[in-house]
Amino acid sequence: MEYINTIILLIAFLILYFLIKNMLPSYFGEKGKNLATKQDITDITEKVESVKQIFTAQNEKLKFNLQFLTSSQLGLYQEERNAIIDYNQKLAIWINVLTNSDFAGIDTKSSLEIEEYKKLISNSYSDLLESEAKFKLFVDNSELTNQADNLKILILDKLCDIANSCLIELKYNNINLERSGNDTEKLHDERMTFHDNYNKSIVENITLIAPVIREFRKNCKDYLYRLIKTTEQSH
């Protein structure tokens, strides 16, 4: 009986041995694989999240840079637009001062008012030059800036001397009137001649300049429309 029990016990140990030898390593191997797989997934997930964070940060930085560049570009477009409008306004004022038929209604018998009008001519030209500096700084169109230069030179050549010369003649006529005795009719006729010659010269020369002015304004207008379209496309 004890012999049989010993054999049964031995068989039980053998079975247990084979179970431990064959099944447990397989179990722990699978368990290890599962643990390794979970660890790999964790590592991969962490790497993916890290890459996503880097990508998101780079994307936000890129978006910020693009927004900054767009905003800067729109700001330049606005400055360019303002420079064109301001230059045309200053140009119109300067031309009007030079070609006003009665010198804006001043009393041409007053030497003081004549001097004030001469200052007005000088100041309007100074304002134009100041506007021109901004015009050339912001307007990115050499054809337009060259056209502005040529127009300014043409006006200086054809109109500036006419107004200033007439004002100087009127001033000296005033001095002669103050000094004269009874011979004032001749001086008054002389004044009328100054005015007539001034107006004829203005009409003659503005007729030559007017087409150039119209062309310049048209080109400015067309360029402004292109700027507006470019600005709308940038939004």
Side-chain angles (χ1 to χ4, degrees), residues 32-47:
K33 286 181 181 179
N34 290 336
L35 289 173
T37 302
K38 290 180 180 179
Q39 185 63 43
D40 290 341
I41 291 173
T42 301
D43 291 343
I44 291 170
T45 302
E46 289 178 353
K47 289 179 180 179

Side-chain angles (χ1 to χ4, degrees), residues 77 80-81 84 139-144 218-234:
Y77 286 149
E80 193 172 16
R81 172 185 172 276
I84 293 172
V139 177
D140 187 22
N141 187 297
S142 58
E143 182 180 353
L144 207 57
K218 179 183 180 301
N219 291 340
C220 286
K221 184 178 179 181
D222 292 342
Y223 189 72
L224 282 173
Y225 282 145
R226 290 198 297 272
L227 275 181
I228 292 171
K229 288 182 180 179
T230 303
T231 304
E232 290 174 349
Q233 291 171 358
S234 299

